[in-house]
C-alpha cells in the first residue's frame, strides 16, 4: 500500500483508466447523499449540501460556534502533497495560485511529465492534482461555505499547493525537503504533510545514506519552523508504535522489488512524523483509534481519519472521511470509488469517502490555522502548544483494543491519542 491513505482501493497507474461518462458521474448526487447521510449520521448538520455527512467536523467541534470565533481568514496553509485541483468548486477563491509550486523534477522516479517543473514556480500547470489525495486534504482544511459540497475546518484559509508527490504517490526526500524550505521562504503559516518521505519508511542513523536523507529532512523542517511555519504530519498507516519500532518490511520502496525485512529501533525515524517540533497526528474512527493508525510517543493529538471496520454496513460512507477529489484524476481511483459507492458529485465537483491518517492530519492543520488567525505573532511552537493544550483529553481504551500495539500513558497524554482529540472550538476559544 502506498503512503497515500486510500485504504482498500486499488490505484491504476498513470492514465490507464477509461474516462468516466457524465452519466456515471451522477450515480450518487448530492440530494441522494444528503438523505442517506441524514439517516446514517443523525444530528450532524451544517451549511452546505453534504455537511450532514461530515461526522468528523462534529467530532472536533468545527462548526458555527468555532467559525464565529475564527475561520482561518488571512492564514496561508501549504498542502505538501500531490497537488491540488485548481478548478474544484469548493476551493474557488481559496488557492494562492501565484505562490503554488511543483517540486517534481525530471529525475523524480514515477513522475508524469505533466507534473515536472524542476522547482520553476512559474509552471502552474505542473501543480494540478493528477490523482485526488491533495485535493481531499485541501478541502478538509479550507472547503468554502458556498452552497456546494462540504465545509472545511478553516473555510476562509488560503491554500498554497506545494507538489512534492508524484501521480502514483511517491514523495521523495528531495522534493519534500524543497517544499518545506520553500514554505519557510514564503513564511507560510501552516503546512500539512499527509505522507512519509520516500524511499524509506524508517531512516536509520547507523546507515550513512539514510542518515544523510534524514538530516536533509531535519534541516528543512527546522528552517521552515524558524520562519514561523507550523508543521502538521500524519503518523502513518502501518499500525506501528513509533516509540518502540521493531520491523520495517517495505523499505526501500524504490527502486521496485528492493525492499528487505529489517529490524529497526529508536535510532530509526519515520519522517516527517518523527521530526522535532512537528505536530504528529494519529487517526480515529467514529468510536476509537483507527485499526491502521500508527501510534507512540511522537503523537501529539488525534483526529478523525475514518475506519470502516467501526461502522455497520448500513452506514453510508462507512464512517470514512468525505472531502473533495480532483477532476483530473488519471489513476482510475475515481472510477474505483464510484464502483464502491464511495463517490458523489455536488455543484460539479467530485467528492469521495476515504480513510487514513492522511485524512486526520488536515483536520489538525485547519485547527492550527484558526489559532494562527487569532494569534498571528505567535511562534510555530506556541501555535503547536495551543493546539495540544486545547485538545479534549482521552484515556487508553478499557478494555484494550485489538490493535497490534498497546496503549500506554496517563489520562491527557497517551501513546494512542497524544493530548487527545483536536478541538476547533476549544482552540478558537483560547
Amino acid at each position: 500500500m502506498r503512503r497515500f491513505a486510500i485504504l482498500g482501493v486499488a490505484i491504476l497507474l498513470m492514465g490507464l483508466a477509461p474516462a468516466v461518462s457524465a452519466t456515471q458521474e451522477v450515480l450518487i448526487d448530492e440530494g441522494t447523499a444528503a438523505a442517506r447521510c441524514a439517516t446514517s449520521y443523525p444530528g450532524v448538520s451544517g451549511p452546505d449540501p453534504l455537511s450532514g455527512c461530515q461526522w468528523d467536523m462534529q467530532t472536533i467541534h468545527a462548526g458555527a460556534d468555532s467559525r464565529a470565533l475564527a475561520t482561518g481568514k488571512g492564514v496561508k496553509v501549504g498542502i505538501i502533497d500531490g497537488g491540488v485541483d485548481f478548478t474544484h468548486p469548493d476551493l474557488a477563491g481559496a488557492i494562492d495560485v501565484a505562490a503554488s509550486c511543483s517540486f517534481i523534477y525530471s529525475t523524480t522516479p514515477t513522475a508524469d511529465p505533466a507534473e515536472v517543473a524542476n522547482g520553476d514556480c512559474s509552471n502552474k500547470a505542473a501543480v494540478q492534482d493528477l490523482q485526488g489525495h491533495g485535493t481531499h486534504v485541501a478541502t478538509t482544511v479550507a472547503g468554502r461555505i458556498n452552497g456546494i459540497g462540504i465545509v472545511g475546518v478553516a473555510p476562509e484559509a488560503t491554500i498554497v499547493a506545494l507538489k512534492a508527490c508524484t501521480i502514483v504517490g511517491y514523495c521523495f526526500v528531495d522534493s519534500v525537503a524543497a517544499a518545506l524550505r520553500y514554505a519557510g521562504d514564503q513564511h507560510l503559516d501552516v503546512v500539512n504533510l499527509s505522507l512519509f518521505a520516500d524511499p524509506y519508511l524508517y531512516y536509520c542513523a547507523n546507515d550513512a545514506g539514510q542518515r544523510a536523507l534524514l538530516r536533509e529532512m531535519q534541516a528543512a523542517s527546522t528552517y521552515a519552523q524558524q520562519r514561523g511555519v507550523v508543521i502538521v504530519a500524519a503518523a502513518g498507516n502501518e499500525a506501528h508504535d513509533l516509540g518502540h519500532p521493531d520491523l520495517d518490511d517495505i523499505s526501500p520502496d524504490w527502486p521496485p522489488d528492493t525492499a528487505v525485512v529489517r529490524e529497526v529501533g529508536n535510532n530509526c525515524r519515520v519522517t516527517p512524523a518523527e521530526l522535532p517540533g512537528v505536530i504528529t497526528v494519529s487517526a480515529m474512527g467514529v468510536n476509537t483509534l483507527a485499526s491502521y493508525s500508527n501510534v507512540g510517543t511522537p503523537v501529539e493529538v488525534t483526529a478523525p481519519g475514518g475506519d470502516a471496520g467501526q461502522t455497520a454496513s448500513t452506514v453510508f460512507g462507512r464512517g470514512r472521511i468525505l472531502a473533495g477529489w480532483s477532476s483530473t484524476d488519471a489513476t482510475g481511483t475515481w472510477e474505483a470509488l464510484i464502483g464502491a459507492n464511495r463517490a458523489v458529485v455536488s455543484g460539479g465537483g467530485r467528492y469521495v469517502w476515504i480513510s487514513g491518517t492522511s485524512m486526520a492530519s488536515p483536520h489538525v492543520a485547519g485547527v492550527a490555522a484558526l489559532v494562527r488567525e487569532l494569534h498571528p505573532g505567535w511562534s510555530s511552537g506556541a501555535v503547536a502548544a495551543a493546539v495540544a493544550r486545547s485538545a479534549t483529553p482521552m484515556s487508553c481504551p478499557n478494555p484494550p483494543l485489538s490493535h497490534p500495539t498497546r496503549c500506554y500513558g496517563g489520562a491527557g497524554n497517551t501513546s494512542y491519542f497524544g493530548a487527545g482529540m483536536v478541538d476547533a472550538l476549544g482552540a478558537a476559544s483560547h
Side-chain angles (χ1 to χ4, degrees), residues 170-187:
Y170 283 90
C171 315
F172 291 98
V173 163
D174 57 343
S175 294
V176 177
L180 277 170
R181 288 185 175 277
Y182 177 83
D185 290 337
Q186 295 292 311
H187 296 280

Side-chain angles (χ1 to χ4, degrees), residues 5-9 28-30 32-38 40-41 49-56 136 150 305-308 315-325 333-334 336-338 340-346 350-356 359:
I6 306 165
L7 303 177
V9 177
I28 304 176
D29 61 22
E30 66 181 35
T32 301
R36 295 181 67 180
C37 285
S40 295
Y41 308 104
L50 299 177
S51 294
C53 303
Q54 294 187 274
W55 64 271
D56 50 314
H136 200 279
I150 64 164
D307 189 351
V315 173
F316 191 47
R318 293 292 303 277
R320 300 179 179 95
I321 306 301
L322 179 66
W325 200 252
T333 307
W334 172 248
L337 288 163
I338 288 175
N341 200 33
R342 290 163 55 184
V344 58
V345 174
S346 176
R350 294 174 172 183
Y351 298 83
V352 302
W353 281 268
I354 54 179
S355 299
M359 286 60 257

Side-chain angles (χ1 to χ4, degrees), residues 47-272:
D48 279 359
L50 299 177
S51 294
C53 303
Q54 294 187 274
W55 64 271
D56 50 314
M57 297 300 172
Q58 183 183 66
T59 298
I60 68 166
H61 304 136
D65 289 343
S66 66
R67 293 192 294 269
L69 300 171
T71 59
K73 187 174 184 178
V75 176
K76 291 192 174 184
V77 181
I79 307 297
I80 300 180
D81 211 292
V84 168
D85 184 359
F86 288 143
T87 69
H88 198 285
D90 236 344
L91 295 174
I95 305 171
D96 185 339
V97 176
S100 297
C101 191
S102 173
F103 299 93
I104 304 297
Y105 306 105
S106 54
T107 55
T108 303
T110 77
D112 186 292
E115 57 192 356
V116 172
N118 293 308
D120 176 4
C121 294
S122 68
N123 183 354
K124 302 305 177 183
V127 190
Q128 175 67 19
D129 187 355
L130 301 182
Q131 195 236 23
H133 186 273
T135 302
H136 200 279
V137 168
T139 51
T140 299
V141 173
R144 284 338 200 207
I145 300 175
N146 56 4
I148 295 171
I150 64 164
V151 176
V153 180
E156 291 190 300
T158 298
I159 295 296
V160 178
L162 304 177
K163 181 177 280 193
C165 304
T166 69
I167 186 173
V168 289
Y170 283 90
C171 315
F172 291 98
V173 163
D174 57 343
S175 294
V176 177
L180 277 170
R181 288 185 175 277
Y182 177 83
D185 290 337
Q186 295 292 311
H187 296 280
L188 300 187
D189 296 293
V190 182
V191 296
N192 183 85
L193 296 104
S194 288
L195 57 88
F196 72 77
D198 297 290
Y200 289 88
L201 174 59
Y202 289 92
Y203 289 84
C204 298
N206 59 345
D207 178 278
Q210 294 171 50
R211 184 169 64 248
L213 292 171
L214 177 60
R215 286 177 175 172
E216 183 176 354
M217 284 293 296
Q218 289 172 328
S221 175
T222 299
Y223 180 86
Q225 290 179 63
Q226 288 175 342
R227 283 153 184 79
V229 182
V230 180
I231 302 176
V232 183
N237 301 329
E238 293 75 34
H240 289 182
D241 182 344
L242 299 180
H244 302 87
D246 51 11
L247 289 177
D248 176 6
D249 60 0
I250 67 173
S251 301
D253 61 8
W254 190 268
D257 302 319
T258 57
V260 297
V261 178
R262 59 181 182 145
E263 292 185 0
V264 291
N266 282 327
N267 65 321
C268 305
R269 294 185 181 182
V270 175
T271 180

